[in-house]
Amino acid sequence: MKFLYLVWRNLTRRKLRTTLTILSILVAFVLYGFMGAIREALSGGVSVAGADRLVVRHKVSIIQMLPITYQQRIERIPGVTLSSHQSWFGGIYQDPKNFFASMPVEPERFLSIYNEFTLPEAQRKAWLANRTGAIVGRATLDRFGWKVGDRISLKSPIWQHPNNDDTWQFDLVGVYDALKKGSDTSGFFFRYDYFDEGRAYAKGMVGWYVVRIQNPDRAAEVAKAIDAEFENSPYETKTEPEGAFAQGWAQQIGDMGKITTSILTAVFFTILLVAGNTMAQSVRERTEEIGVLKAMGFSNRLVLGVVLAESFSIAGLGGFVGLGFVWALVSVWNPVPSMLPVFYIPNHDLVVGFILVLVLGFLAGIFPASQAMRLRIAEALRRQA
Amino acid sequence: MSTTDGVLVRVKEVDKVFRRGSEEIHVLTGLNLEVKAGEFLALMGPSGSGKSTLLNLIGGLDRATRGTVEIGGDRVDQMSDHALSGWRARHIGLVFQFYNLLPVLTAERNVELPLLLTHLSKAERRKHVEVALGMVGLSHRTRHYPRQMSGGEQQRVGIARAIVTDPTILLCDEPTGDLDRKSGDEILALLQALSRDHGKTIVMVTHDPHASARASRTVYLNKGQLFSENPG
C-alpha cells in the first residue's frame, strides 16, 4: 500500500498520455459491453430457451405454415406433455417503425408452456373471457405508455380481414412480466380463435408449434419421432430444441458470436498495443530513475511490481470504468427497442470483461516491467552521465 | 556493522573488466583499498580512471570481475541480487552528481523513498524525514518539487534522502560537480559535518581539489590503479 502513491505519481507524470490511453481502453470496453448486449439481443433468447421445449416448424422454412390438426397428433407422441402453437402476425402500432413481435396463441396452453411469464390471475381470467383480449410484455407497455383497458389497433403486413382491412382491434387485458433475466417482455399475444376467424385466408393453419417434453435428455428422440410422424406428408416438419431454433433465427443475420469475437479481437489487440506502448515509453523515459530506486535498495521484484501496478491501474481505470459505464447505460437505454427487445449485458460477458481488464493490464505491463527488472543499476546511472 | 581494526571497507585485488563486443576494457586492475569507519575519503583521478566504478563496487551497484569487496564483514561480491538490494537499503546512502530526485515527488516524498523499504509506520517515516530535512537545513521546503528548488537545494534533498535511513556508508559521486562554488561549498560543509559530528563514513568521488581538501584522506586513481594516497 505504501508504494501506491509512487505508482499514482508515475501515472500522472504525463497526464495527457495517460488520460488518452485510459480513454482508449474505456472506449474499447464500452464497445465490448455494447457488442455483448447486441449479441445477446440478436441471439433471440438462446440463453433463456427452455431445455424442455421443442419447436416444430415446416421442414422447408419458418414462413411455411402447418395445419392446426397436427397438434393432436403431436400430443399423442410418447414423451410430449403439452403443445401450443404460434403464428407470426408482424403487428405495427401507428407507425412502421413501431414494430414488435405479436402473435396469436392459445392463452391457457401458451401460459402453461411459458411458465417463466407471470400474469396476474384476474388478467388471465379476463383474457380467457374476452375474444379480442390481448396481453403485452412490460417492455412494450412502457415503450408506448399503454395501460390495461386500452383499445389497441395494430396493422399487419401479412394478415387482412376478408374486406382487405389490415387493421386489427384488441382490448389490452393484461401485462406479463418475466421471472428469468433476459426473457423478452416485448411480445404482444392475442387469441388464436379471434385471429383465425377474422383472417381472410390460411384458416386452420399455424406458424409453428412449441412442444413441452417430459424428459429433456430424450429431446433428440422425441424430435425424431415428431418428424417421423409427418414424413411424406404435404407439410413435413423439422423439430429442434428451442435454443437451436432461436439460434437459427439469429443466424439469419450471421454468426453473431463469430462477428463480435472478430471485431473485439481486433479492438483488444489494438488497445494492447496502445497500452503496451504507453507503458514501454513510460519505463524508457525513466531508466535513470529506476536505476536510482534500485540503487536505493528497491529489489528487482519490487520494481517489477511497481511497473505492473501502473499497468494494472491504467487498464483498471479504463476497463472497469468502461464496463461500469456501459452496464449502467445499457440498463437504462436501448438504441433500437423495436429491433432488439432484449438488450442487456449478460453476467457472463461482465465476468469475461473483468478478466480481460486484468489480462490487458498484465500483458501491457509485463514486458516493460521485465525490462525494468533486468536493468543494471550501473548502466542506468551511466546513461545519465 | 562489524569492523576489523577499525576498517569498514576492504577492497582486495579487484579487477573490473567491461566488454564491448569482442573488446575488453580493463577499468580496475588489482586494486586494493581500505577505508576506516568514520573516515571521509576522497577518490580523485582523471575521467575514465575508474573512480565511479570503484564507488559502484563498494556500494554493491556493480560486481567485480575478480577480487573481493568486504563492507563491515559482509562479502558484497558474493551476495545474490536480492540480498544485495536489502543490504544496500540498510547500509548504503547514495548522493549523485545530478541529484537524481524523482521530479514527480515533493522533497519530503523523495526523502521518504528509502524508508518505504523499512517496516516503519507512516508517522515514524514522517518523523525521520523531518529530521533528515532539518539536518540539511530544508525544513521549510518539504512540500516543494525539485523543479521549484535551486541545484544546491536539490542536492541537499539528495543528501537528506541518503542519510534518512542512517546508513553505514555515504557514497557520493561528484556531489558538487553540477553546482556553483558557493552551493558546492555548502554541500561539502554539510558532508564534512556529517563525518565530523555524526561519525559517518563517506567515500566521495571528485575531480575538484577544492572538494577533496575537505576530506580526511584523498586517494588517486589512474588507469584503474591506486597510485598515491595523501592524508587530508
Side-chain angles (χ1 to χ4, degrees), chain B residues 115-136:
Chain B
L115 295 175
L116 297 178
L117 302 170
T118 66
H119 296 295
L120 295 176
S121 68
K122 196 174 176 180
E124 288 169 324
R125 291 201 302 270
R126 189 166 293 166
K127 189 75 200 154
H128 279 68
V129 169
E130 272 173 28
V131 170
L133 281 169
M135 283 175 76
V136 298

Side-chain angles (χ1 to χ4, degrees), chain A residues 17-199:
Chain A
R17 183 175 66 195
T18 306
T19 306
L20 290 177
T21 306
I22 289 173
L23 278 178
S24 60
I25 294 171
L26 188 147
V27 169
F29 277 92
V30 168
L31 183 67
Y32 167 83
F34 258 111
M35 296 296 269
I38 290 171
R39 188 185 54 220
E40 183 66 13
L42 290 179
S43 69
V46 174
S47 58
V48 292
D52 60 349
R53 290 197 292 251
L54 302 178
V55 174
V56 183
R57 65 168 175 86
H58 195 285
K59 191 177 182 179
V60 175
S61 145
I62 186 77
I63 61 169
Q64 310 285 109
M65 302 190 83
L66 297 172
I68 197 164
T69 50
Y70 275 19
Q71 186 161 28
Q72 285 179 343
R73 290 170 68 183
I74 288 171
E75 287 188 348
R76 279 203 298 268
I77 290 168
V80 172
T81 58
L82 186 65
S83 73
S84 172
H85 57 73
Q86 298 177 12
S87 306
W88 189 252
F89 181 74
I92 292 167
Y93 179 63
Q94 292 178 341
D95 190 286
K97 73 174 191 295
N98 295 335
F99 170 82
F100 48 87
S102 48
M103 279 168 272
V105 297
E106 303 158 288
E108 279 194 290
R109 285 170 174 268
F110 171 78
L111 291 172
S112 297
I113 283 199
Y114 288 96
N115 52 10
E116 65 263 37
F117 291 151
T118 57
L119 183 70
E121 187 53 31
Q123 295 181 1
R124 177 192 171 95
K125 281 183 178 159
W127 196 20
L128 294 175
N130 188 345
R131 274 169 65 80
T132 57
I135 63 167
V136 67
R138 180 74 56 191
T140 298
L141 181 95
D142 293 343
R143 185 178 163 203
F144 297 119
W146 293 342
K147 55 187 186 303
V148 171
D150 282 357
R151 184 101 174 139
I152 308 292
S153 294
L154 296 185
K155 278 182 183 294
S156 172
I158 309 167
W159 304 107
Q160 287 129 29
H161 294 293
N163 61 1
N164 289 334
D165 182 11
D166 61 359
T167 303
W168 295 69
Q169 302 293 332
F170 302 100
D171 295 306
L172 194 59
V173 296
V175 185
Y176 70 88
D177 289 290
L179 293 171
K180 221 171 174 181
K181 191 187 176 190
S183 294
D184 180 2
T185 60
S186 69
F188 183 95
F189 300 100
F190 52 93
R191 287 176 52 157
Y192 176 79
D193 50 358
Y194 168 61
F195 166 71
D196 197 46
E197 190 183 273
R199 63 178 159 176

